[in-house]
Amino acid sequence: MDKEKLQEIIDKYDTESGKLLGILEDIQRTEGYLPKDSLIYVSKHLNVPLSKLYSLATFYSFFNLQPVGKHIITVCMGTACHVKGAPHILETIEELLGISPGETTSNGKFMLTTSDKQFTVNTARCFGACSMAPVIRVDGKIYGYNTPKKVAEILKKYGWRGK
Amino acid sequence: MKIKTLQDLENVRKAGIKKLFPDKPRIAVGLATCGIAAGGQDVYEALETALKKKGVNAFLTKTGCFGICNEEPLVNIAMPGKPLVILHKVQKEDAESIAEKVAKGKLPEEKALCKIEEWDHITSEKPFFYGKGYENIPLWNEIPYFKPQKKVVLRDAGIINPEDIEEYIAVGGYSAVYKALTKMTPDEVVEEVKKSGLRGRGGAGFPTGLKWEFTKKEKSDVKYVICNADEGDPGAYMNRNEMESDPHMVIEGMIIGAYAIGASEGFIYVRAEYPLAIERLKLAIKQAKEYGLLGEHIFGTEFSFDIRIATGAGAFVCGEETALIASIEGKPGRPRPRPPFPAQKGLWEKPTNINNVETWCNIAPIIKKGGEWFSRIGIERNTGTKVFSLVGKVNKVGLVEVPLGTTINEIVCHIGGCGIKSKEIKAVQTGGPSGGCIPRNLFDTPIDYDHLKEVGSIMGSGGLVVMDEDTCMVDTAKYFLSFTVDESCGKCVPCREGLKRMYDILEKITDGRGTEEDLGILDELAHTIKATSLCGLGQTAPNPVITTIKYFKDEYMEHIKNKVCPARVCRALIDYFIVPDKCKGCTICAKNCPVGAIDGGPGLIHIIDQSKCIACGTCMDVCPFDAVVKLSGEKIDTPDKPIPVKKGR
Amino acid sequence: MKKTVRIKINGKTYEAEEGESILSVCNRENIDIPNLCFNEALAPYGACRLCMVEVVNGPGKKGMTTSCTLEAVEGLEVVTDTEQIVKYRNVLFELYLAQAPNSEEIKEMAAKYGVTKTRFAKKAKPLDPLGNKCVLCGQCVRVCDEIMGTAAINYIGRGFHTKINTPYLEKNDACMGCGACAEVCPTGAIQMEDIYDKRIMKSWSGTEVKLKKCKSCGRYFAPEPIAEFAYAKLDPEIKEELKDLCPDCRRKLLSRKEILISQGEVSKNED
């Protein structure tokens, strides 16, 4: 991430409250993840040990440390979604995109990216759109009342060309 | 303009009234997150185009969520002097015909869900009267979903435009701030809240007035108030809707609280998963500053107060007060032991008062109408209303606001209209991962802090997830544990290690490897974790397991003894079969099976090779003839090898 | 001067400083309470949950709580080993035995309280830099941050996946190689080794710290950053003299100086 933009983000925060997380969130929103050199830059400019930033980045599930695909698909794993079949929806998406669950990242976060870097699949603990369960979110847009069939149609909208 | 006097407020109110009751039709589209997801934004845009195209003189605007989520998108239309009519399941294709009818002064009655002739915004001087008419459309509180409801918190939701401060002021908004700041001392404000009996809506139900008093008593140059909007319970979304549909009511409550306590700065800690709520809160704060309702010398008094937004970054534990504070301070959200309580040492070691979103939402009505008025709603020791998100396996889903003390049955069966597709409802889960599953035979339990505790659950933030015969209670317990294992901060041993061990045992049971001894170990772990964990997360995390073992022990025993999952959910215990009489030999299932476990061919009866099958259920999803069945502990007769489908079927 | 208060522990009355932690009082009075995350030099943390006591009387809340975070106030009365405490503590010990199966210290402590077996699967991460001995009490993280002001290591992740290491699991140049982490570790989990001119923090992603060579005897004696850290606090004149000397040579130099002073050949530097 370029230094000017980074500095701009840092300068936006004029008080300590909410600052560190705010900066990290802004970086992630811009880049899709937290690049290592950005964390090092923030560490130096705010005089915060790198270990503290890394600790924050791995504690909060909002952050990714790896680059993500072009489209991010988030499957809601809330209670309402769970009882209405969210695990099956997740499985369907994995199967359609040809990615296997395999290993989650070492800090226990679930995140998978297709080999062509078009899609990243992750999960969330609840979007609060429970009335439309099961719910998924693609690039910020929420889709409700999902079925395995419907999911395939949604993926097509984002350039998925079938198995 | 800056509002300094009552006259200023009155002038803005009049301007707002003109928007709510324009001299032309007012069309408002429900645009909270759920409304948008259901297609509300498209409807809004289509209406905009259609009205323009047809040259219709109408006022198109947006509103929040009226709470009946499976009828969305909702659009409400008010013709001057006529009832406000709520249209449901409106699609963008309907825009043209709506515009046409409105142009002729008519309503698309076939789309009408209900009408409102009179509406009490609680904070306004008197209820608003829209008008009478439309005999064929039922009154809103005549339809079963709304009949038992009482809207205090959701007083403006789905009626006013949440992005317009003038409309909020039009319905009496900020008049409670005026009253508190100019006519009441901080002590009197605290007294009024105490009198109301309001208890914290975040879950534990601590008396709000008492909490305020603790922080008020502390001597400090700086004090803070915080709104906990880190709504983390999966299956609960009332706070999101309150912020999206009526953000100013949160701000108004916080201003009053800050005045009572003596705080000069406030924070709203919102989870990053709620971008629209954050956007609307930011806008509301900006507007409140422009109108002088936040900032220096509010209403020309000595009192100054400002609010900032801090965003959470995905950690359920940050709903815990000390973890939330750590998070705002830029640290990982690991709770610390209490005492000292935040009231003594909170944010940056300063006295801090934290209340949940919905608690703040109740403040303006309490100040405006009096604690006495509030205390008459609900039942003794559990006053006021509570907003619940009724979701899961129930016919009508949405946000339901009822007086505390309403029974589960009333909510699930009368408001929710019971199970989907005549499935038998088995339980309702309240309180999220800290709560419990309450079985059907206890549905006459009144929902309030004390009764829920008696049956082993808690109020939590108000999520009500309905479960039916297709929900496995062992799987549900495992689901909640997987949640808390992931969301535990990892600081203390019982929560970090103990919950994982409980999860492992539950997994063993759902895999069909469980023993009766495991139930004993689960129980021992559950009670150790409850008694020894550092914070509320660990102290309550075993509740879903404890309550399911207590009320659904037979289901556990089926898994353990007979290796059967009665709800047919636990994958290791279920088998899929193709019913020979129903199979038409279309080959779709075989083509879609990810592991090649289905043998067959065109015109042949297909057979699942049980040794290869991974029970993913894909065949069942894709079969056009419903020929695939899912069984646990049973099997059906199938041919040894694919044989031709009988002709003539 | 803080107020002295009288508290009761297991029925016997003791004096304590107001606000002092009950665990400190117990340690002083030889009342046995197991603990893993407590350290007098650090702020109370309340994570290991082993030091539970039951408050039976006093101005605050009654019931079980951790003694490390419980402050002494007049009239406080606690009991340290009720049947309930023992029951829960034993389960916690089982959890510890499963979490850190290779730690002799944990085995010893648990055995002392009668727990020698665990019903839970023992952790056996093959390449665990902490040798399946860490219980995440956080003393190392806290001493590195609170005392040394370095924060070279920290928690990574959360919940069951929490671990302690350097950021990105890479060698970290913030580490001064002071070894305070290994010193405070109650389970003997942290490995470090001095090899020729380097100190290798084996548990911390192999972080290397240069050692200072003694200008007199040529031996490598202390991590460079620690030596600099210490010199910075010394009087400039003494610093010049003692700089770059290993403890042995420093002692020799000082005692030689003492002798010379006593013989009146050098005037003692006093101003």
Side-chain angles (χ1 to χ4, degrees), chain B residues 453-491:
Chain B
K453 209 172 166 191
E454 265 172 41
V455 296
S457 189
I458 63 160
M459 176 84 86
S461 54
L464 292 179
V465 185
V466 180
M467 298 168 174
D468 67 10
E469 53 187 284
D470 291 342
T471 314
C472 168
M473 301 317 283
V474 187
D475 175 72
T476 301
K478 191 176 80 171
Y479 161 77
F480 280 112
L481 271 240
S482 82
F483 182 95
T484 37
V485 165
D486 266 7
E487 297 292 341
S488 159
C489 79
K491 179 172 174 176

Side-chain angles (χ1 to χ4, degrees), chain B residues 558-559 562-577 629-635:
Chain B
E558 280 289 317
H559 285 74
N562 303 330
K563 312 298 173 203
V564 164
C565 173
R568 288 170 293 186
V569 170
C570 297
R571 192 164 283 187
L573 305 179
I574 55 174
D575 301 302
Y576 286 85
F577 295 95
V629 291
K630 182 165 72 170
L631 299 171
S632 181
E634 293 172 88
K635 46 177 72 173

Side-chain angles (χ1 to χ4, degrees), chain A residues 17-18 25 77 82 88 91 128, chain B residues 240 311 328 348 479 571 621:
Chain A
S17 305
E25 283 168 18
M77 287 294 175
H82 180 84
H88 191 41
E91 229 170 41
Chain B
R240 171 181 66 66
T311 45
I328 296 181
W348 308 112
Y479 161 77
R571 192 164 283 187
D621 292 336

